[in-house]
Amino acid sequence: MTKKQPPKYMESYFIHGDNVSPQWDYSHHLNPPVTESVTYRLESAERGAAGFACYANLAEQAEHPIYIYERLNEPTTGMLEDRLAAAEKGESALTFSTGMAAISAISCLLTGNGDHIVSHDSIYGCTYSLFSNWMPRRGTTVTFVNMVKEDDWFKHIKPNTRIVYFETPINPTLELLDIEDICKRIALINKGRPEDKRIYVVVDNTFASPYCQRPIELGADIVLASLTKHICGFNTCMGGVVIVPKKLYNPLLMYRKDFGGVLHGRSAWPILVYGLPTLASRLRQQMATAMEISKFLTAHPKVEDVHYPGLETYPQYELAKKQMRSYDGSFAPGALLHFILKGSPQEAKKKGVKLIDWLAKNSICYTLAVSLGCVKTLIEHPSSMTHSAIPLEEQLTAGIQPGGIRLSIGLEDPKMLKEEMEKGLAQI
Ligand SMILES: *Cc1c(COP(=O)(O)O)cnc(C)c1O
């Protein structure tokens, strides 16, 4: 749902929201009550009719919401949507049951039989599978290009291209794509196209989070995220969100109503009450620790290279400084880092397995797990885990380093993180 006035102080807004919400009378509560009602008492046929009339009418919904049935609309998720739209500096937001439900909804809404998507070739695994296995079945083709290396990737845009899709920072290498530059170039192409043939720039902002990067401010049309990661932050709930311009709110709401992947109010509540209010403090602390760990790893004799956009030695440091900014404008290079162990591809891969296995058994701070953006530090070895299906040779050409380790920094004491990593590196 939309906000009338954009909030000025975002961190306070994440904690207090609009203070008084038309979505729920919680003037006596410090927190919004947990609601458990699938269907809603409508009182009269007239009110029922009014409910259906105002459904999918953004302005009406914001002013006088009438709830009918939980799959259509729900107060807790409504409040969360208001805040997420504001967090991304967008016009309106809709939540979904998972990040993938959000990604599939917006991709299917914007494309149909005969349409085309251009996507960066390194994207979240399930998004890649969605684009390569399922989209073609409904007549939408996808061209994967390396938007970092191929400067002329724009040549893949066709008259039927409807979406340009990417993530930045890119998983697992943490390379960056220049959001502003891409959006400017797409805007030029859109100038010569009628509205119904325009290309939408869709950015998955899960890795950075809106605290560190707001693609809409840089020109993107649509931003989406998995709420499961930084925004929830505690590894307790799944969820997804799509932030869209007002004109796409109703169509996306109708899509969600019929495809049914809504976020349950019980999952929205912890994100609204714990996740979003602590997002800024968590990330500030996690970024400070990420910086400290990056420097520690850079100086370590067993480490070949460290990729963290906050390091001055990072190849895309200037771009990171340009587009990764918190609300007050300070540099916000995120809480993820990727480091590469020394050795030949085979050696480095073995060392990577040894290191994560040792840490999984012996450390307290490092949890061997997929996912990211949690208060607990998570460690992953893409070459032997998420990307293990790809043969070693192909991993190398795809830029997956056999000795690459991904860290999602949590809130532990940085000294303890360094001590445990030092011990782990001594084993390999
Ligand atoms: C986790 C993730 C998703 C999918 O989110 P789910 O909530 O797990 O469905 C999409 N994109 C990125 C970048 C992710 O990390």
Side-chain angles (χ1 to χ4, degrees):
M1 292 204 184
T2 43
K3 285 243 350 89
K4 272 165 259 137
Q5 271 191 332
K8 184 172 167 204
Y9 295 106
M10 291 308 296
E11 292 184 29
S12 308
Y13 178 76
F14 288 164
I15 296 162
H16 296 284
D18 292 326
N19 201 13
V20 176
S21 164
Q23 284 137 0
W24 187 262
D25 172 14
Y26 67 102
S27 45
H28 297 98
H29 294 73
L30 206 58
N31 293 323
V34 182
T35 75
E36 292 283 355
S37 189
V38 168
T39 196
Y40 292 80
R41 198 191 301 278
L42 289 164
E43 286 162 358
S44 66
E46 195 189 354
R47 188 171 159 82
F52 283 105
C54 91
Y55 182 63
N57 178 335
L58 194 55
E60 265 299 301
Q61 274 288 350
E63 288 301 323
H64 312 285
I66 298 176
Y67 297 103
I68 300 167
Y69 187 70
E70 187 165 350
R71 179 163 35 73
L72 273 57
N73 227 345
E74 196 273 340
T76 313
T77 54
M79 280 185 265
L80 181 62
E81 284 161 359
D82 279 354
R83 289 186 210 183
L84 292 171
E88 287 286 2
K89 304 282 178 186
E91 290 181 350
S92 62
L94 281 162
T95 51
F96 291 83
S97 55
T98 62
M100 284 318 300
I103 295 167
S104 56
I106 193 65
S107 318
C108 291
L109 180 74
L110 297 178
T111 60
N113 196 1
D115 289 335
H116 176 244
I117 296 174
V118 172
S119 170
H120 179 62
D121 61 1
S122 175
I123 50 173
Y124 185 68
C126 299
T127 313
Y128 189 85
S129 172
L130 171 75
F131 285 176
S132 45
N133 294 322
W134 300 105
M135 295 306 274
R137 287 178 56 158
R138 49 192 294 287
T140 301
T141 51
V142 184
T143 305
F144 294 101
V145 290
N146 189 317
M147 292 163 74
V148 181
K149 293 205 182 88
E150 283 180 50
D151 202 36
D152 61 347
W153 66 265
F154 289 85
K155 68 174 184 232
H156 298 287
I157 289 176
K158 302 191 254 184
N160 59 344
T161 304
R162 291 286 163 273
I163 297 177
V164 165
Y165 188 95
F166 60 91
E167 302 165 6
T168 178
I170 298 161
N171 184 34
T173 55
L174 300 185
E175 284 171 297
L176 307 179
L177 283 162
D178 188 332
I179 303 172
E180 197 174 16
D181 181 59
I182 292 170
C183 294
K184 275 189 184 150
R185 291 164 82 168
I186 298 297
L188 278 181
I189 300 173
N190 276 336
K191 265 194 176 161
R193 291 186 173 207
E195 184 61 21
D196 63 333
K197 299 271 182 267
R198 82 191 295 277
I199 302 164
Y200 288 95
V201 177
V202 181
V203 184
D204 179 338
N205 203 30
T206 305
F207 263 49
S209 92
Y211 182 73
C212 298
Q213 173 176 280
R214 287 158 309 282
I216 290 173
E217 288 185 322
L218 300 164
D221 300 293
I222 293 162
V223 168
L224 55 87
S226 165
L227 299 174
T228 317
K229 317 291 169 60
H230 286 297
I231 295 177
C232 169
F234 295 87
N235 197 36
T236 53
C237 308
M238 298 201 83
V241 67
V242 186
I243 289 87
V244 285
K246 267 184 202 155
K247 63 167 185 186
L248 288 178
Y249 177 85
N250 287 354
L252 189 59
L253 183 69
M254 290 303 150
Y255 181 99
R256 189 181 70 173
K257 167 177 81 71
D258 297 342
F259 283 80
V262 291
L263 182 67
H264 194 282
R266 228 181 291 143
S267 293
W269 192 87
I271 300 175
L272 183 68
V273 176
Y274 306 127
L276 205 52
T278 57
L279 179 71
S281 343
R282 278 187 282 118
L283 270 162
R284 261 199 304 272
Q285 184 61 45
Q286 287 167 336
M287 286 192 292
T289 306
M291 192 58 154
E292 210 174 317
I293 303 292
S294 295
K295 286 183 178 160
F296 159 80
L297 288 168
T298 304
H300 202 283
K302 293 194 176 165
V303 174
E304 175 82 42
D305 203 0
V306 180
H307 299 162
Y308 179 59
L311 287 174
E312 276 174 43
T313 51
Y314 186 70
Q316 292 175 298
Y317 182 62
E318 288 309 314
L319 175 57
K321 279 201 299 187
K322 184 176 95 167
Q323 71 185 17
M324 301 188 79
R325 294 274 169 190
S326 68
Y327 295 105
D328 66 1
S330 51
F331 185 32
L336 279 125
L337 63 94
H338 182 242
F339 67 96
I340 295 151
L341 298 168
K342 279 188 183 161
S344 69
Q346 285 79 4
E347 270 169 19
K349 181 162 178 166
K350 269 195 202 138
K351 285 182 182 175
V353 172
K354 214 170 164 190
L355 175 66
I356 55 167
D357 279 351
W358 191 88
L359 287 169
K361 274 211 188 80
N362 301 287
S363 85
I364 290 168
C365 294
Y366 294 92
T367 305
L368 174 55
V370 296
S371 197
L372 59 110
C374 177
V375 290
K376 296 182 177 179
T377 295
L378 305 178
I379 187 166
E380 204 242 322
H381 181 220
S383 175
S384 69
M385 293 172 58
T386 43
H387 297 68
S388 59
I390 310 169
L392 198 62
E393 301 308 309
E394 285 175 41
Q395 282 187 7
L396 286 167
T397 46
I400 308 297
Q401 293 285 343
I405 306 278
R406 194 189 79 182
L407 284 178
S408 169
I409 298 294
L411 290 178
E412 298 90 345
D413 191 321
K415 275 207 186 92
M416 186 165 174
L417 282 167
K418 280 193 277 189
E419 276 173 25
E420 290 192 338
M421 184 56 80
E422 182 71 68
K423 282 186 196 156
L425 287 168
Q427 309 299 315
I428 66 167

